[in-house]
Amino acid sequence: MGIGRDWDNPEQMISVDDALERILARFSPLPAVETPIVEALAMVVTRDIISTVDVPPFRNSAMDGYAVQSADTAEAPVMLRVVATVAAGSMPDCRLRAGEAIRIMTGAPIPEGADAVVRFEETDERARSMSGAQLTRISVSRAITKGENVREAGEDIHANQAVLSTGARLGPAEIGVLASLNMATAPVHRRPRVAILSTGDEVVDVGPELLPGQIRNSNSYTMSALVRQAGGDPILLGVARDSSSSLTAKLRSVERPDLFITTGGVSVGDYDVVKDLLRAEGSVDMWQVRMKPGKPLAFGKIGGVPLLGLPGNPLAALVSFIQFGRPAIRKMLGLTELLLPVIDAVLTEQVTNAGGRRHFVRAIVERASHGLEAQPTGGRGSGLLAGAMHANGFIVIPEGRVVVDAGDTVCVQLLDDVLVT
């Protein structure tokens, strides 16, 4: 290495795995809160959920048809006398006897005396209706078995059953089950509040026209979307200038969040004041991580709140968040699967990896006749964000591998798990 470039020596950097381990060690699942189930999608329950009721709460019909005694149909076809109708939401007011049938709708309670339901299609109801005949008698065309088309009380969930275990993640079906148990709220780890701050005199928020030398604040909005996607609640703090007073004011403008994320101000530049302020007011380490894009990284606490300082280059910030910020948020949510799903794919073109760092290459992963293929996309600059729009994964090139040829099998982190089957 040349004089003055020790900071660029991979041997002086920490590994991605070491950085991740240090960061995750500082986070724990957040406290439990009762959250309305309509807002609890993808959240993690903090205790076992035990049903206090049967679901369904009573025996009911799984079909529109006729409630019958199955023994009456053993010699089908057979003619039965229609004695009543039971609609969903009403209760039968008579007991079914031998030789009788009760017209019944899906979800309606099974009358006493009935043990099966024959579908309309297996009777002559349609023909009788078209002829104008009154439905006082009905012909059943086949023998019906006991219990056919009957949903028993507690068939889906029975009282005292453990429905969800501590640590379960709530999907649409789980939320529907909670509603069926008459639970309007769920005990879950609350979502982390993540305050997001961009830094730099040259950075301008959305709105005013750019002056010469200025760039748009895309990082805050990228981070906000990533935080929300990971399960957190983003809080945008705007842009701090390259001064301690501006940065301090921004960090103090929000009521204690669960995590600060900053972009910019953590490299070796003369005007990167973030690292200096954090070292003065917090307990923060500045790292050079053996990865690209995304070498500069800061992590520690300020005012007792964890802070993750990401690079200012948009793509580097995105990659660094996915590797470090996303797992931290998921751990606070109480999840145990913290990392992106990983698959193997065949590389479609050669990729080089000079510099001795772990290389995260944007890729389009698609199915081919021989399996999954990974096509590098989006250019190689750490500020080139637009190329990430087309990527659904990161090819991960190990630190010690300089050249990966087309046709080689590579490891890919999936940004979209649709391909995982």
Side-chain angles (χ1 to χ4, degrees):
M1 293 292 169
I3 297 174
R5 291 182 61 84
D6 288 344
W7 55 269
D8 207 24
N9 182 353
E11 295 182 1
Q12 303 300 317
M13 302 176 190
I14 67 171
S15 70
V16 174
D17 298 332
D18 189 13
L20 180 60
E21 182 179 358
R22 295 189 199 184
I23 289 170
L24 290 180
R26 302 282 287 273
F27 291 93
S28 300
L30 294 174
V33 293
E34 285 290 334
T35 298
I37 58 174
V38 294
E39 301 173 7
L41 182 65
M43 300 180 80
V44 175
V45 295
T46 58
R47 62 173 172 82
D48 294 347
I49 304 297
I50 309 298
S51 176
T52 59
V53 297
D54 286 335
V55 180
F58 51 82
R59 298 175 74 227
N60 66 92
S61 177
M63 296 285 177
D64 291 340
Y66 288 87
V68 299
Q69 293 184 359
S70 57
D72 284 343
T73 69
E75 303 297 330
V78 63
M79 190 71 70
L80 301 175
R81 184 164 61 92
V82 180
V83 296
T85 295
V86 183
S90 65
M91 291 295 295
D93 58 3
C94 64
R95 178 184 178 87
L96 185 74
R97 294 177 173 82
E100 297 178 341
I102 293 179
R103 197 168 187 269
I104 192 168
M105 300 297 109
T106 301
I110 299 293
E112 287 189 43
D115 65 5
V117 173
V118 57
R119 297 182 301 158
F120 284 154
E121 295 89 340
E122 294 168 332
T123 72
D124 64 348
E125 177 180 292
R126 184 177 181 186
R128 286 177 175 270
S129 298
M130 292 178 65
S131 68
Q134 289 186 342
L135 291 175
T136 56
R137 296 174 68 80
I138 200 76
S139 176
V140 177
S141 61
R142 72 169 179 89
I144 306 301
T145 59
K146 183 178 180 179
E148 191 167 344
N149 298 322
V150 173
R151 293 186 291 218
E152 297 294 337
E155 183 177 293
D156 192 12
I157 300 169
H158 57 78
N160 300 316
Q161 177 181 339
V163 177
L164 292 171
S165 299
T166 302
R169 195 177 191 190
L170 297 179
E174 287 80 0
I175 287 173
V177 165
L178 295 180
S180 72
L181 302 183
N182 196 33
M183 293 181 61
T185 64
V188 294
H189 295 287
R190 66 174 177 83
R191 297 188 190 278
R193 299 172 64 248
V194 181
I196 299 164
L197 178 64
S198 291
T199 68
D201 286 342
E202 77 282 14
V203 181
V204 178
D205 216 334
V206 173
E209 292 294 323
L210 293 179
L211 299 176
Q214 294 181 332
I215 60 172
R216 192 66 70 191
N217 175 24
S218 64
N219 279 344
S220 287
Y221 299 93
T222 302
M223 292 301 113
S224 176
L226 288 168
V227 165
R228 196 175 297 281
Q229 186 180 62
D233 287 332
I235 305 167
L236 291 178
L237 301 184
V239 180
R241 300 299 121 203
D242 284 330
S243 70
S244 295
S245 59
S246 176
L247 184 59
T248 301
K250 289 290 186 180
L251 292 175
R252 293 177 178 174
S253 68
V254 59
E255 186 177 352
R256 187 183 179 92
D258 300 297
L259 172 64
F260 281 114
I261 287 181
T262 64
T263 59
V266 294
S267 65
V268 296
D270 293 338
Y271 296 99
D272 293 331
V273 298
V274 172
K275 60 182 182 294
D276 299 325
L277 176 68
L278 298 182
R279 282 171 172 158
E281 296 201 9
S283 173
V284 178
D285 291 325
M286 300 293 162
W287 299 331
Q288 298 287 307
V289 182
R290 203 176 300 122
M291 63 182 285
K292 62 178 179 180
K295 179 175 63 177
L297 192 75
F299 181 69
K301 285 189 175 182
I302 185 164
V305 176
L307 181 142
L308 181 62
L310 306 178
N313 285 324
L315 179 61
L318 182 147
V319 172
S320 294
F321 175 89
I322 290 174
Q323 303 308 315
F324 307 117
R326 179 182 182 272
I329 289 172
R330 290 174 66 85
K331 188 171 182 181
M332 285 190 281
L333 283 167
L335 294 167
T336 55
E337 294 183 2
L338 306 182
L339 307 182
L340 291 171
V342 175
I343 52 94
D344 289 334
V346 175
L347 189 63
T348 61
E349 64 182 64
Q350 186 184 85
V351 174
T352 59
N353 182 31
R357 292 182 279 161
R358 187 176 301 181
H359 194 185
F360 295 92
V361 182
R362 289 159 291 172
I364 299 171
V365 184
E366 296 179 321
R367 291 197 177 277
S369 58
H370 56 274
L372 294 174
E373 286 186 342
Q375 170 69 49
T377 184
R380 300 185 180 181
S382 60
L384 303 177
L385 185 60
M389 294 190 300
H390 309 293
N392 60 355
F394 290 132
I395 300 167
V396 183
I397 308 299
E399 291 87 332
R401 194 164 181 183
V402 178
V403 177
V404 185
D405 291 318
D408 287 352
T409 298
V410 292
C411 175
V412 182
Q413 294 179 336
L414 286 182
L415 302 175
D416 182 349
D417 62 6
V418 170
L419 291 166
V420 179
T421 57

